[in-house]
Amino acid sequence: MPKPSAGTSYTVPTGAAVSKPATPARIAACDPAARGPRRRNDFDARSRTVGMPTEPETGYDPELGRKFVFVTGGVMSGLGKGITAASTGRLLSNAGFDVTAVKIDPYLNVDAGTMNPYQHGEVYVLKDGGEVDLDLGNYERFLGTDMTFDHNVTTGKTYKHVIEKERAGDYLGNTVQIIPHITDDIKRRIREAAEGTDVCLIEVGGTVGDIEGMPYLEALRQFAHEEDDEDVLFTHVTLVPYSKNGEQKTKPTQHSVKELRSIGLQPDVLVGRCEDRLDPETKEKIALFCDVPTEAVFSNPDVEDIYHVPLMVEEEGLDEYVMERLNIADEALPPEERDSRWRELVTRERTGEIDVALVGKYALEDAYMSIHEALKHAGIHEEVEVNVLWVDADEMRDHHTERLREADAVVVPGGFGSRGSEGKIEAIRYARENDVPFLGLCLGFQMAVVEYARNVLGLEDAHSAEIDAETPYPVIDLLPEQYDLEDLGGTMRLGAHETEIQPGTLAHEVYGADSCTERHRHRYEVNPEYIDDLEAGSLTFSGRAGNRMEIVELDGHPYFLGTQFHPEFRSRPDRASPPFVGLVEATLERVAEGREVEV
């Protein structure tokens, strides 16, 4: 498995992470009362911009939400502005505030559902069925909240809504333009997503200067004009590279801020992404040329684990500065009363390690981010380090069979299409025949059924109708409600659905309940015509949703579990997914027994 790019990898910091106390100078610099009542552009606080949308279908309220933190990025993409925003949100949540997040994606797609994982990583599925950018997964994991499709704003979604309103005649003959109609819709979406929370973090995807991002930055400029100064904070994340002589270079940050200011936005906080902490001289130089206080320049150096980033930015004092700048420091819990569970979890000592083979077809870690994180969460739960061994399903027969032998467990993830399917089937057969702990997710669940039909029931050439439309034994077939659909985007079986679990089964032991609610993303299911034949032997469908098969397991196997749903999407550092915890527990037992198999 390739390592993450340099822009997103991290290295463990030294020293204890402690909150930086607020100094009188920092408090004075951020005290709104000291500056007098004004807006960000120095207009009197009593003057308000007129013409905000009041759409009946949304019940728009200009007072929705209290505080807004906008996070932009410069120089290059993939710097980690999402992790920076999520880490800030985690610390604000620890301090007692109700925090939510919005991810803005400037692409023209309505959602991420039809995107190639090589371009944007995995498609993350929300509880309401929204198919969104993987950053929403990070926000859910860091903030411990469930987002909705309203928390993802795309250009496609915004333009589609405005055009539909124009076609319906809602603009009463006005010329429909980027300003004000698109920008008003963007602002409306942000305010409504923030409703009922104390702080809303808004990450703007891409980098400053991207042509597709211009309407969003203009909307942010207007947003700041319409809100009180103390209710809006702009954070800009930039790259601070090293020169060949080891000097931290600030010119990329200077040019990025210059571009931002040319649009009419002045950052309040600058976060420098660098291999190491920013030198004091570097911070002072950035502050001087970017027109911010030195106290507003923060380091976000590389760390080994992204879950350590909140500890790092806390040590830098970013959370305290943000609270002071938003004038909510007095409402925060005292430091000694703040939630410390995150620190306890991510710094928990590991007592051992296991190797898990991930058999997929996308040689990109971001394509399986939630699975990596769910394995990590299960490792935290069991106090063990989980190492993921990448196995290319396309090349497994020729080059990667040895990787399976090295692994202590096997995970076959979801996916679409025929490429890599035979390699996944071979990996499942290996796990089944050699009593290796196995977890199949969505397509992995379906391929486990195909493998059993072929190699146990003797149904030669059995397959999924998705992959082989001419198979004589379509043990996996199209969902009935999918036959007449024409559009691909947003039409799968999506979102949270309940599964009834059969008592006395492995699934019941894993979940410890008679039912579970997990998120789905699929068009195909187990063909009901083959269920009796499949269950005649050692295979059991232990989880069902009506006549739909949701969980499969194998009697007499240490741990063989497949799920039609994606349990990885609900996994959190403090709430590890049950199927992943079960996999790690079974793997630890196997390692303790010292069992070896031959491939």
Side-chain angles (χ1 to χ4, degrees), residues 427-464:
I428 294 167
R429 180 174 186 173
Y430 161 80
R432 179 180 60 80
E433 294 180 343
N434 293 285
D435 287 342
V436 176
F438 163 77
L439 179 60
L441 308 168
C442 198
L443 182 64
F445 158 90
Q446 295 174 359
M447 292 302 98
V449 173
V450 170
E451 190 279 327
Y452 188 87
R454 285 185 185 182
N455 301 318
V456 178
L457 299 186
L459 301 180
E460 189 176 352
D461 296 327
H463 221 315
S464 167

Side-chain angles (χ1 to χ4, degrees), residues 558 586-596:
T587 304
L588 288 172
E589 292 178 8
R590 179 175 183 268
V591 170
E593 294 172 0
R595 301 175 65 180
E596 295 184 0

Side-chain angles (χ1 to χ4, degrees), residues 74-75 208-209 236 238-239 250-262 289-290:
V75 185
V208 172
H236 193 54
T238 68
L239 177 68
T250 67
K251 195 63 71 176
T253 298
Q254 294 179 43
H255 281 289
S256 180
V257 172
K258 180 181 179 182
E259 180 74 21
L260 191 65
R261 294 176 72 176
S262 71
F289 287 100
C290 296

Side-chain angles (χ1 to χ4, degrees), residues 80-91:
K81 60 181 178 293
I83 297 298
T84 301
S87 299
T88 303
R90 176 70 259 174
L91 295 176

Side-chain angles (χ1 to χ4, degrees), residues 549-563:
M549 304 301 105
E550 295 277 6
I551 306 176
V552 68
E553 58 186 67
L554 193 63
D555 299 340
H557 192 282
Y559 192 87
F560 191 99
L561 196 71
T563 66

